[in-house]
Amino acid sequence: MTTTVLVPDEQGLVTLGALDGVRAVRYAAGADLPPEAADAEVLVPDFLAADQAALVAALPRLKLVQLLTTGADAWIGRLPDHVMLSTCRGAHGGSSAEWVVGALLTVYRDLVGFADAQRAGRWTTHVTETLQGKRVLVVGAGDLGRQLERRLLAFDAEVTLVATSARPGVRALAELPALLPEHDAVVLVVPHTPATRGMVDAGFLARMPDGAVLVNVARGPVVDTGALLAELTSGRLRAALDVTDPEPLPEGHPLWSAPGLLLTPHVAGSCTGHRERAYRVVAEQVARFAAGDKPQNLVQGDY
């Protein structure tokens, strides 16, 4: 029994083609599907590609969509009931956690200010803040949250993890209003769901102490952009965003020139080796499916 898997790139052909009982077939988005698509039981969409959900209707035997990304919001609610959805949880947590640490160090050590002084030819010496001893609240305690905790502790920061429900080492989401005033930085690593959309509103931000830093490496709509702009413009809060709402950020949007903001274009997971790391996880999930088991990264409901 052979399981046919549609993959978007050469890395997929090499990695999944090496699995027992798996036939990997390459397809190109926007082009006619290969003849083997009629037998495909698994579809691997490309990274952050344009809408590929329309492919599903052309795959009569499809049973599983296996993502190369951790975020699944573009696919949730768009698949027939008989088609499973599996994420790439475990592949990109380290890269995104690294970005968060880099962003916090950039903010606290004023690296942007020093770079500006270098371009201007000014030898500007001043004392900066440090990540050491900072109290960091991480909202989300999955793979990325745990990866981030490990890295922040190495910098002697204090870390509090928050998830929907409490468990050893993790506080409950219901405690968030009381926790916000006690932390110097808040890092968002939650999935984008109806429950998290707009989670960071004016009330959330108002509970953060003066000078605190909001870091969003989740999805843009988790944060109310207007409320954040008001806090940045007043100078009360600072922020580091890898994701925005809207995204891509249009020319002339006020976030481009907002004071106290470090902004990158959704690149936290975009670094060398990201496809190799993703396909290692994808291979594990597809191998389980081909053996008759369910993938471990299946999306249940909104996540």
Side-chain angles (χ1 to χ4, degrees), residues 141 146 149 159-162 166-171:
R146 289 296 189 182
E149 178 188 35
V159 182
T160 304
L161 292 174
V162 172
R167 52 185 184 269
V170 180
R171 307 286 287 271

Side-chain angles (χ1 to χ4, degrees), residues 1 15 106 157 206 252 264 286 288:
M1 187 72 175
T15 305
T106 298
T264 61
V286 171
R288 288 181 61 87

Side-chain angles (χ1 to χ4, degrees), residues 179-270:
L179 291 171
L180 287 171
E182 300 175 354
H183 289 80
D184 304 297
V186 178
V187 184
L188 307 171
V189 297
V190 294
H192 177 206
T193 69
T196 62
R197 185 178 184 88
M199 167 193 288
V200 182
D201 56 13
F204 182 111
L205 296 170
R207 292 184 178 92
M208 294 173 62
D210 293 353
V213 181
L214 178 75
V215 181
N216 189 5
V217 73
R219 287 291 186 267
V222 173
V223 176
D224 181 324
T225 300
L228 177 60
L229 274 168
E231 293 284 11
L232 294 174
T233 303
S234 73
R236 197 183 75 81
L237 296 179
R238 296 170 289 178
L241 305 178
D242 185 53
V243 290
T244 61
D245 184 23
E247 187 177 307
L249 200 61
E251 182 179 353
H253 193 282
L255 275 178
W256 286 118
S257 56
L261 174 62
L262 175 67
L263 180 64
T264 61
H266 204 150
V267 294
S270 300

Side-chain angles (χ1 to χ4, degrees), residues 56-75:
V56 173
L59 303 173
R61 299 190 62 192
L62 186 67
K63 297 178 182 177
L64 171 67
V65 172
Q66 171 59 58
L67 303 179
L68 289 165
T69 60
T70 305
D73 45 289
W75 289 86

Side-chain angles (χ1 to χ4, degrees), residues 3-302:
T3 299
T4 300
V5 181
L6 293 185
V7 298
D9 52 25
E10 188 66 25
Q11 185 71 48
L13 285 179
V14 172
T15 305
L16 301 188
L19 298 176
D20 290 338
V22 171
R23 175 177 62 167
V25 177
R26 187 168 182 178
Y27 73 97
D32 291 339
L33 290 172
E36 297 90 340
D39 297 320
E41 295 182 67
V42 182
L43 169 67
V44 179
D46 204 357
F47 279 100
L48 302 176
D51 182 16
Q52 295 183 9
L55 290 175
V56 173
L59 303 173
R61 299 190 62 192
L62 186 67
K63 297 178 182 177
L64 171 67
V65 172
Q66 171 59 58
L67 303 179
L68 289 165
T69 60
T70 305
D73 45 289
W75 289 86
I76 291 175
R78 304 191 64 186
L79 294 173
D81 291 341
H82 68 278
V83 177
M84 298 180 289
L85 178 63
S86 176
T87 73
C88 206
R89 184 180 68 243
H92 309 297
S95 304
S96 297
E98 181 180 81
W99 180 93
V100 173
V101 173
L104 287 172
L105 288 172
T106 298
V107 172
Y108 287 138
R109 299 311 304 264
D110 194 21
L111 298 184
V112 172
F114 285 123
D116 289 342
Q118 177 189 353
R119 283 189 290 270
R122 299 194 312 270
W123 189 263
T124 305
T125 302
H126 60 275
V127 174
T128 70
E129 295 176 80
T130 175
L131 183 51
Q132 298 171 87
K134 285 293 191 292
R135 302 162 299 172
V136 183
L137 182 63
V138 180
V139 185
D143 174 62
L144 173 50
R146 289 296 189 182
Q147 294 262 19
L148 179 56
E149 178 188 35
R150 180 165 61 87
R151 286 161 173 78
L152 289 172
L153 290 175
F155 281 85
D156 294 328
E158 300 176 18
V159 182
T160 304
L161 292 174
V162 172
T164 303
S165 56
R167 52 185 184 269
V170 180
R171 307 286 287 271
L173 191 62
E175 300 179 70
L176 196 54
L179 291 171
L180 287 171
E182 300 175 354
H183 289 80
D184 304 297
V186 178
V187 184
L188 307 171
V189 297
V190 294
H192 177 206
T193 69
T196 62
R197 185 178 184 88
M199 167 193 288
V200 182
D201 56 13
F204 182 111
L205 296 170
R207 292 184 178 92
M208 294 173 62
D210 293 353
V213 181
L214 178 75
V215 181
N216 189 5
V217 73
R219 287 291 186 267
V222 173
V223 176
D224 181 324
T225 300
L228 177 60
L229 274 168
E231 293 284 11
L232 294 174
T233 303
S234 73
R236 197 183 75 81
L237 296 179
R238 296 170 289 178
L241 305 178
D242 185 53
V243 290
T244 61
D245 184 23
E247 187 177 307
L249 200 61
E251 182 179 353
H253 193 282
L255 275 178
W256 286 118
S257 56
L261 174 62
L262 175 67
L263 180 64
T264 61
H266 204 150
V267 294
S270 300
C271 57
T272 53
H274 71 286
R275 283 189 181 270
E276 290 83 355
R277 287 187 290 273
Y279 272 110
R280 280 199 294 270
V281 175
V282 168
E284 294 171 358
Q285 306 306 306
V286 171
R288 288 181 61 87
F289 175 83
D293 299 322
K294 288 186 176 181
Q296 294 172 312
N297 285 1
L298 283 183
V299 173
Q300 307 289 346
D302 288 332

